[in-house]
Amino acid sequence: MMMAIAAAGCGNPQGVTVQDPVRQEGQKEDTAQLPPETKEDVLDKFKLIVSQAKDAGEVVQFLDTHLPEVTQKQADQLFLELEDFYDRYLPSLNDNFATMLSKPETSQKMNEVGYPININNIKGDDTLKQWLLDQQAGGLALGNTEGEFFWKVDYKALQKYDKYVSNDIRSYQALKSEEAEKSYFEDGTIAITREKLGDRIMKAELYLTENPEGLKAKEVLQMYKDYLHAYLTDFRYDAIDDRTLKLLPAVKKSFQTFVNTHPDAKTTVIVQKYLNVINNNKDVIYEKGTNSIQGPLKKDIQSFWDSLNNEVDSLFVA
């Protein structure tokens, strides 16, 4: 891979409730009926593939071939191994990609992908275009943050495996797909509406309540906490009246609407507690500062923010 990428640098590179699907033809549940190699060897073979793979395409091609042959439990394990592979593979791929982009001719060509990103927009450098398409075929998506290109896992593309994996992994995939398509947090503030962020919070809650011992429960719990912190405490640009230091009515209304829309949700317990604290302060969030308009948080608001993780753990962690 290093050789191919070095050449590239010169402009010549090579409510989430998912029902169990009808079992696909060719996907067996009884391991006694499986060919011998799918009983014990597929996971070992996959681990060998990922340890030797020169690019992600080899790994995805193996899954495309073998997932229809294995049980749901085996498919889950293969998916987890795929994620582990990406965790190991992406840092070096992106380091080498950055080296490619340090070449002016490559950097200039990359600007042709446009927005939304479309690799096929590249003209006059079929080798670069093909290398980019090969990464895409390996389950990766090209991202761009503040003009910097990078590779990330394309969870939306990986949803093609949903028919083989369990509800646990499918629900997790749905969450990751939504986040991969549009991050909730960019440039230091919420990048989607609070209403949409509230929807993501509820999808994460649904995963956690349906899969308390799920394969991805720990990761989804962290996603849930990140979403909730942003939803309740991100007041940087658009939530506070600079003159009164009060929470803007529209933001408070979004909290009230959440409570009314999801009366039985665990998250509602937390949001309602916060509304009670806000009401006790007559909507004032910050103290007045001495040398600036905005001072520190009101004492009980700060206390609530500090206790947020413990509140979550009391509801979701046994």
Side-chain angles (χ1 to χ4, degrees), residues 95-299:
D95 284 346
N96 292 323
F97 191 33
T99 300
M100 289 172 57
L101 296 173
S102 68
K103 307 293 185 180
E105 60 272 26
T106 305
S107 180
Q108 184 176 356
K109 273 293 171 188
M110 286 300 301
N111 290 330
E112 294 179 10
V113 299
Y115 186 83
I117 291 172
N118 185 346
I119 293 170
N120 287 308
N121 287 340
I122 292 179
K123 308 298 181 185
D125 193 336
D126 289 342
T127 312
L128 172 62
K129 182 166 77 171
Q130 188 57 54
W131 184 84
L132 295 169
L133 291 172
D134 287 346
Q135 309 316 306
Q136 195 174 69
L140 301 176
L142 189 59
N144 188 322
T145 300
E146 297 180 353
E148 298 293 329
F149 287 103
F150 62 94
W151 290 104
K152 60 184 178 179
V153 179
D154 188 351
Y155 280 97
K156 193 172 185 66
L158 296 183
Q159 284 184 301
K160 66 182 179 178
Y161 299 139
D162 279 0
K163 58 189 174 184
Y164 305 121
V165 297
S166 67
N167 182 71
D168 179 347
I169 296 298
R170 287 195 301 276
S171 298
Y172 165 76
Q173 270 263 77
L175 286 165
K176 294 291 283 188
S177 262
E178 195 167 14
E179 182 59 29
E181 193 167 5
K182 175 62 179 177
S183 177
Y184 78 99
F185 200 78
E186 294 175 358
D187 299 326
T189 192
I190 298 174
I192 58 178
T193 65
R194 271 193 168 76
E195 289 69 26
K196 288 183 177 178
L197 183 53
D199 290 341
R200 293 194 190 186
I201 290 170
M202 282 305 304
K203 290 173 183 177
E205 173 175 326
L206 188 56
Y207 174 95
L208 293 169
T209 54
E210 290 187 339
N211 306 280
E213 303 296 326
L215 294 167
K216 305 302 295 187
K218 183 177 180 180
E219 183 168 343
V220 174
L221 180 62
Q222 187 57 56
M223 289 173 67
Y224 175 89
K225 287 179 177 179
D226 292 343
Y227 289 162
L228 190 64
H229 274 279
Y231 182 71
L232 294 179
T233 71
D234 193 294
F235 294 159
R236 297 185 189 205
Y237 302 119
D238 62 350
I240 302 295
D241 184 313
D242 290 336
R243 184 178 57 84
T244 64
L245 303 180
K246 289 185 176 183
L247 191 65
L248 293 177
V251 178
K252 183 177 181 180
K253 184 178 179 180
S254 74
F255 296 157
Q256 293 168 328
T257 299
F258 184 98
V259 168
N260 294 333
T261 304
H262 309 288
D264 300 321
K266 291 184 177 184
T267 307
T268 294
V269 174
I270 297 174
V271 178
Q272 184 59 64
K273 283 184 179 180
Y274 192 33
L275 278 170
N276 293 342
V277 175
I278 290 169
N279 288 333
N280 289 341
N281 282 280
K282 298 181 180 179
D283 298 352
V284 177
I285 304 298
Y286 292 96
E287 302 281 3
K288 287 189 176 295
T290 52
N291 297 318
S292 61
I293 297 175
Q294 182 174 298
L297 288 165
K298 300 284 285 186
K299 185 175 181 180

